Amino acid sequence: MTAMVDIRSVHKSFGSLQVLRGIDLEVRSGEVAVVLGPSGSGKSTLLRAINHLEKVDSGWISVGGSLIGYRRQGDRLYELREREILRQRTRIGFVFQNFNLFPHLTVLENVVEAPVSALRRPRKEAVSAAEALLARVGLADKTAAYPRQLSGGQQQRVAIARALALEPELLLFDEPTSALDPELVGEVLDVIKDLAHQGTTMIVVTHEIGFAREVADTVVFMDGGRIVERGTPAEVLDAPRHERTKAFLSKVL
Amino acid sequence: MSLTSDPPVGKAHANGAEDDDYSALKVVPVRHPWRWAAVVVTAVLVAQFAHGLITNPGWEWDVFANFFTTQTILKAVWITIQLTFYGTALGFALGIVLAFMRLSKSPFLKSVAFTYIWAFRSIPLIVQLLFWFNLTYLYKRLDFGIPFGPGFFSFDTAGLVGAMSAAVLGLALHQAAYAAEIVRGGVLAVDGGQLEAAAALGIPRLRQLRRIVLPQAMRSILPNAANEVISLFKGTSIVSVMAIGELFYQVQVIYGRNGRVVPLLMVATVWYIILTTVLSVAQYYVERHFSRGAAR
Ligand SMILES: Nc1ncnc2c1ncn2[C@@H]1O[C@H](COP(=O)(O)OP(=O)(O)OP(=O)(O)O)[C@@H](O)[C@H]1O
Ligand SMILES: [Mg+2]
């Protein structure tokens, strides 16, 4: 299978703090990769680099065969304009830890906004697609509500529908359940599992080991800005080879 | 007497109610004697003031009634409204541009906006207005064309900057400095995650500002902006130094002629109060519009 995401020797520093120190990672089309690692290991930074919310210092990232943030012409790389970067991002869905829904727009408007303004879909078409998506995440009756009137779990499901509305070829989740009360985690994970079973390519940063075991094709363990270990859930979670992986797992399990 | 002795049983039951059943008891509210004293004193003062307004012949309410809706005064009110409208519209338009210049990443744009705001907040409005009024003295002609190169059109400043446009220009430039800071504060108050989410969705840059950031910024911009509009509206009275026939100037002209100072000042005062009330009501509805989806 072809690589949907290809990350090659990516480095990134904030000032003197090296956050990513040479990341190499390939995610195939239809694969579900779960990224684990202690706080501060660079998981969010890596995810944000993939859709160019964060610019990397060296190395490169390509999604669906096209380079993120640059255009190759002959033996040169030209930095893309903001407008072109925005267009690249429409092919990549991003779900944030704290949802970041637009509080002044209704649930339906939240989902309709990007297809209409970024992809120039006709409004009518976008609305019926949005209604179908909201029904799919179990929120058909909440289209007219405002985000603050919803529970955390419902808000995160709206955020997932909002990301899906662009029909992205890749979905990125940054700790999608970390801001939720324990009893609401399940409803969000169920939606993500559903997507995984339908063959959506996704990279999920999470601390939910059970979820990783159940849906991940690949588990990646990061520490100190490097990928320490990667493999199937059985390899990484049940028979970790690296000391740091063992130490981390013994703490979260 | 020992500390462990039971409380006297008879006393608790003396008033006929069970120890833990309060529902049958009569509630005696706390009395506020001082509050009542303050109410009485204030009421007397208010009554005295109202009595004075009505009976003191110095207010000359008949003169007030005669002038309140005369043609001259209505025209002057209209000019005051126009000055406020154009001053606000142009001032906030320029203010929004300045705010985004200060928020931009370019050090040059940032410092230009910063300097503008610094300068126009430092110069008293009345001084600035007199400068514009005397523009003719500084620049005799205004040329439009290639910067520093040959001009295509040119105007006599005397014809271009009449008193009225000088006044609008002055008010707007002054207002822009304050508007810029209010808008900038409002934009900074919007959670950074909002722009990030909009960017992650690929929403075009201008649309991010118009659809996502500004409507949310409006909630903190509006109360301050309303203050500014109201103070600009009253500030138009300063324009009377340029002999423009706005409300305060016209009132001065009339009492200069007939000597009825107090009733004519009341004419202006009542008009200012009425229009400020209208603005406050408008503020209420506009704020309600922009509070959609807010929890509080
Ligand atoms: N914009 C930034 N400026 C400066 N430092 C940053 C910035 N973003 C992240 N960092 C730092 O980079 C390091 C890695 O951050 P990152 O958010 O990628 O970690 P993480 O693995 O996602 O951690 P967590 O599990 O807590 O979310 C941290 O030490 C953080 O303080
Ligand atoms: Mg993180």
Side-chain angles (χ1 to χ4, degrees):
Chain A
M1 258 201 277
T2 53
M4 173 61 79
V5 185
D6 200 355
I7 301 172
R8 292 290 171 84
S9 59
V10 160
H11 290 256
K12 169 79 189 174
S13 307
F14 292 112
S16 61
L17 178 72
Q18 285 190 297
V19 179
L20 299 179
R21 313 170 178 225
I23 299 283
D24 287 282
L25 183 66
E26 232 178 75
V27 179
R28 283 166 290 115
S29 187
E31 185 178 345
V32 177
V34 168
V35 181
L36 302 175
S39 181
S41 55
K43 307 180 298 291
S44 298
T45 308
L46 176 64
L47 223 52
R48 293 160 53 81
I50 295 174
N51 75 345
H52 214 264
L53 284 175
E54 215 74 76
K55 203 169 141 185
V56 303
D57 300 334
S58 64
W60 50 265
I61 298 173
S62 81
V63 173
S66 51
L67 216 49
I68 293 295
Y70 298 90
R71 180 172 29 117
R72 188 185 164 152
Q73 214 164 52
D75 56 355
R76 276 172 207 220
L77 288 183
Y78 291 91
E79 214 175 311
L80 293 182
R81 298 169 174 286
E82 184 178 0
R83 182 197 258 274
E84 296 162 305
I85 291 169
L86 286 169
R87 196 169 314 130
Q88 285 192 327
R89 289 204 189 111
T90 61
R91 297 188 292 116
I92 304 169
F94 200 107
V95 176
F96 297 87
Q97 180 172 348
N98 38 13
F99 331 136
N100 288 339
L101 292 177
F102 305 130
H104 60 302
L105 302 181
T106 62
V107 164
L108 186 73
E109 287 302 323
N110 263 279
V111 181
V112 164
E113 176 59 28
V116 169
S117 68
L119 298 183
R120 309 216 154 277
R121 294 262 166 81
R123 215 191 127 74
K124 235 179 166 174
E125 210 175 278
V127 166
S128 53
E131 279 165 346
L133 277 171
L134 286 167
R136 190 165 146 198
V137 298
L139 292 170
D141 54 336
K142 296 289 184 193
T143 51
Y146 286 97
R148 287 205 180 99
Q149 299 164 338
L150 303 182
S151 74
Q154 292 171 329
Q155 290 190 48
Q156 192 60 299
R157 284 185 280 151
V158 174
I160 294 172
R162 182 174 72 173
L164 289 174
L166 292 166
E167 296 168 18
E169 48 190 4
L170 170 68
L171 275 179
L172 306 174
F173 292 86
D174 191 2
E175 304 198 28
T177 59
S178 295
L180 299 179
D181 292 336
E183 75 267 25
L184 301 177
V185 169
E187 64 186 61
V188 171
L189 289 184
D190 284 344
V191 170
I192 303 175
K193 279 178 206 166
D194 236 30
L195 292 168
H197 292 140
Q198 284 159 20
T200 316
T201 314
M202 53 176 99
I203 303 179
V204 186
V205 173
T206 184
H207 294 296
E208 301 286 335
I209 305 292
F211 169 82
R213 198 183 302 270
E214 192 177 339
V215 297
D217 298 304
T218 309
V219 174
V220 177
F221 177 72
M222 275 180 75
D223 192 18
R226 288 201 180 86
I227 291 180
V228 174
E229 194 162 345
R230 64 167 297 182
T232 63
E235 287 165 357
V236 178
L237 298 176
D238 300 331
R241 282 175 316 216
H242 216 283
E243 280 311 317
R244 279 185 283 176
T245 321
K246 282 180 201 163
F248 175 78
L249 287 174
S250 70
K251 259 183 269 168
V252 296
L253 278 178
Chain B
M1 209 169 87
S2 87
L3 285 171
T4 53
S5 71
D6 291 330
V9 177
K11 228 178 184 174
H13 288 275
N15 49 15
E18 286 291 332
D19 269 348
D20 51 355
D21 179 18
Y22 300 109
S23 57
L25 303 179
K26 188 175 182 312
V27 177
V28 182
V30 176
R31 307 214 184 270
H32 300 281
W34 286 110
R35 193 187 293 168
W36 279 105
V39 166
V40 169
V41 172
T42 313
V44 169
L45 289 175
V46 169
Q48 273 186 314
F49 180 69
H51 181 254
L53 272 185
I54 297 163
T55 58
N56 187 337
W59 292 105
E60 296 181 278
W61 289 110
D62 52 326
V63 180
F64 171 90
N66 273 342
F67 279 101
F68 189 64
T69 52
T70 50
Q71 195 63 37
T72 335
I73 293 294
L74 289 182
K75 235 189 197 156
V77 168
W78 178 234
I79 290 181
T80 294
I81 292 173
Q82 282 180 307
L83 284 170
T84 309
F85 176 79
Y86 290 119
T88 304
L90 294 174
F92 271 82
L94 180 55
I96 289 172
V97 173
L98 286 166
F100 282 102
M101 280 168 75
R102 270 203 81 177
L103 289 167
S104 80
K105 288 195 188 106
S106 151
F108 178 71
L109 294 180
K110 260 188 191 165
S111 36
V112 168
F114 179 86
T115 309
Y116 178 96
I117 292 165
W118 166 75
F120 278 83
R121 286 205 304 195
S122 312
I123 307 170
L125 177 56
I126 191 162
V127 175
Q128 205 225 118
L129 284 172
L130 288 172
F131 263 120
W132 288 111
F133 200 49
N134 295 297
L135 185 70
T136 0
Y137 169 79
L138 280 175
Y139 301 98
K140 296 268 182 303
R141 306 181 64 74
L142 216 53
D143 290 345
F144 286 86
I146 299 164
F148 304 111
F152 302 134
F153 318 97
S154 68
F155 296 98
D156 268 342
T157 47
L160 183 70
V161 184
M164 186 71 182
S165 23
V168 167
L169 195 62
L171 290 173
L173 293 178
H174 173 82
Q175 196 52 57
Y178 291 90
E181 289 296 90
I182 291 174
V183 172
R184 188 173 69 99
V187 170
L188 287 178
V190 177
D191 177 27
Q194 292 290 308
L195 265 186
E196 198 151 77
L201 287 165
I203 296 171
R205 183 91 182 123
L206 257 184
R207 176 91 178 173
Q208 289 179 20
L209 294 180
R210 245 194 34 238
R211 174 81 165 157
I212 308 299
V213 176
L214 278 181
Q216 294 186 62
M218 279 311 251
R219 292 209 64 212
S220 46
I221 290 176
L222 274 173
N224 296 320
N227 269 346
E228 284 298 313
V229 175
I230 288 170
S231 89
L232 176 69
F233 162 64
K234 288 178 298 183
T236 54
S237 55
I238 288 180
V239 166
S240 60
V241 299
M242 297 159 82
I244 289 172
E246 50 75 50
L247 186 54
F248 187 54
Y249 178 80
Q250 221 45 281
V251 162
Q252 283 177 305
V253 167
I254 298 174
Y255 71 57
R257 253 190 345 244
N258 67 9
R260 299 307 218 319
V261 178
V262 171
L264 279 156
L265 283 179
M266 276 313 276
V267 167
T269 306
V270 172
W271 272 115
Y272 283 124
I273 290 176
I274 290 175
L275 293 172
T276 304
T277 309
V278 171
L279 286 174
S280 306
V281 171
Q283 176 189 0
Y284 170 79
Y285 284 102
V286 176
E287 278 186 18
R288 200 174 63 170
H289 172 77
F290 280 102
S291 67
R292 280 167 311 168
R296 61 191 159 86

